[in-house]
Amino acid sequence: MLRALAVDDERPSLEELLYLLHADPRIGSVEGAGDATEALRRITRALESGPDGPDAVDVVFLDVQMPGLDGLELARLLTGFTHPPLVVFVTAHEDFAVRAFDLKAVDYLLKPVRKERLAEAVRRVAEVRGAPPIPVHEPDPDQLPVELGGVTRFVAVDDITHVEAQGDYARLHTDRGSHLVRIPLSTLEDRWRSRGFVRIHRRHLVALRHIGELRLDAGTVSVLVGGEELQVSRRHARELRDLLMRRTTG
């Protein structure tokens, strides 16, 4: 049973999160804190108590933007402890995701928090803590789930023009916009190689079928994908040209 601490300066959001955590059978106890300073005092007491002590905290569900000490600053402070609690960020803003995972966050939830998505975050925490994993269904290979404003949508792989690396995240680009997912670019490269995706740069993976132009200019190579010009690194240029030639002559 996990012992949790929820931190949010907005009372309605905190109460909703506490309600959802109480309803999860894997959460043995949960407390709330109205700001990061109060949370730090509570976590310090937990660390002094020890991992098996009566005041121990296993995981902190932490808002990012708060007055005074914010969530990212608190998480950074926790990295200085020997055995800090795990951190799950809960925020209305997608923009902090890369920095959050640089701080070794277990998960990153967007508000409004859905019960199903919170359950997945709790599953990840339990897994890190050594609890037996819960079986999950294999994902649909033709679609990728993405979160936008607390709503899960499914993006067709065939609609993705290119993918951009952003730390432990990848940004999927389509003709209708972009989506951030917590999957490394190298994982998508391996998964989608057979679907016509090719690495053109350490930061970019492109779908061959969406390449509109291959441009050569003064020794540099670039491609036009979805209306955006992307640089091709030297090490990938020859492979890309060969693949495009085979595609047009095959």
Side-chain angles (χ1 to χ4, degrees):
M1 300 291 280
L2 297 168
R3 297 154 295 187
L5 175 66
V7 188
D8 198 315
D9 65 303
E10 297 179 354
R11 192 67 194 178
S13 296
L14 179 60
E15 290 178 351
E16 175 68 13
L17 183 55
L18 289 170
Y19 173 80
L20 292 173
L21 287 169
H22 274 299
D24 192 303
R26 292 163 296 188
I27 301 293
S29 64
V30 58
E31 298 177 51
D35 58 53
T37 302
E38 179 186 350
L40 182 58
R41 287 196 293 266
R42 176 63 185 87
I43 293 167
T44 301
R45 192 165 78 246
L47 294 172
E48 291 172 349
S49 174
D52 299 317
D55 293 323
V57 172
D58 297 310
V59 56
V60 181
F61 290 84
L62 184 58
D63 188 21
V64 173
Q65 289 190 311
M66 293 181 286
L69 185 69
D70 68 23
L72 292 172
E73 291 168 337
L74 174 57
R76 194 171 292 109
L77 287 173
L78 294 182
T79 61
F81 292 98
T82 305
H83 299 292
L86 300 175
V87 173
V88 174
F89 283 102
V90 184
T91 177
H93 304 281
E94 181 184 89
D95 303 342
F96 300 105
V98 173
R99 276 187 283 169
F101 283 101
D102 284 343
L103 293 169
K104 311 302 181 186
V106 176
D107 210 340
Y108 189 91
L109 306 182
L110 291 176
K111 297 178 182 180
V113 178
R114 294 179 299 106
K115 180 180 179 181
E116 297 81 3
R117 185 64 184 85
L118 181 62
E120 169 61 16
V122 174
R123 184 196 67 78
R124 291 179 180 177
V125 170
E127 194 173 75
V128 173
R129 283 293 179 192
I134 298 174
V136 296
H137 296 294
E138 287 296 316
D140 185 342
D142 296 322
Q143 293 183 318
L144 200 66
V146 299
E147 279 203 25
L148 185 63
V151 176
T152 299
R153 297 179 180 174
F154 294 88
V155 175
V157 175
D158 288 345
D159 290 340
I160 298 169
T161 59
H162 60 289
V163 187
E164 179 183 2
Q166 293 190 347
D168 290 334
Y169 267 65
R171 184 169 291 280
L172 312 176
H173 293 266
T174 72
D175 290 338
R176 293 183 293 276
S178 68
H179 308 277
L180 200 64
V181 294
R182 191 191 176 192
I183 305 175
L185 192 67
S186 57
T187 299
L188 294 178
E189 180 183 9
D190 292 338
R191 186 183 299 177
W192 291 346
R193 184 175 289 110
S194 62
R195 303 184 68 114
F197 282 81
V198 60
R199 191 75 162 256
I200 65 166
H201 190 275
R202 63 183 178 83
R203 291 193 58 212
H204 290 112
L205 186 69
V206 301
L208 290 173
R209 62 184 167 276
H210 287 292
I211 294 179
E213 294 180 10
L214 177 67
R215 298 176 174 178
L216 304 175
D217 182 21
T220 64
V221 181
S222 61
V223 290
L224 192 66
V225 183
E228 186 175 351
E229 186 173 0
L230 303 175
Q231 193 76 27
V232 181
S233 67
R234 283 187 177 184
R235 63 179 296 222
H236 294 104
R238 179 182 291 275
E239 179 190 8
L240 178 63
R241 286 198 298 265
D242 290 345
L243 286 169
L244 290 173
M245 288 296 293
R246 288 202 297 269
R247 192 176 183 84
T248 56
T249 58

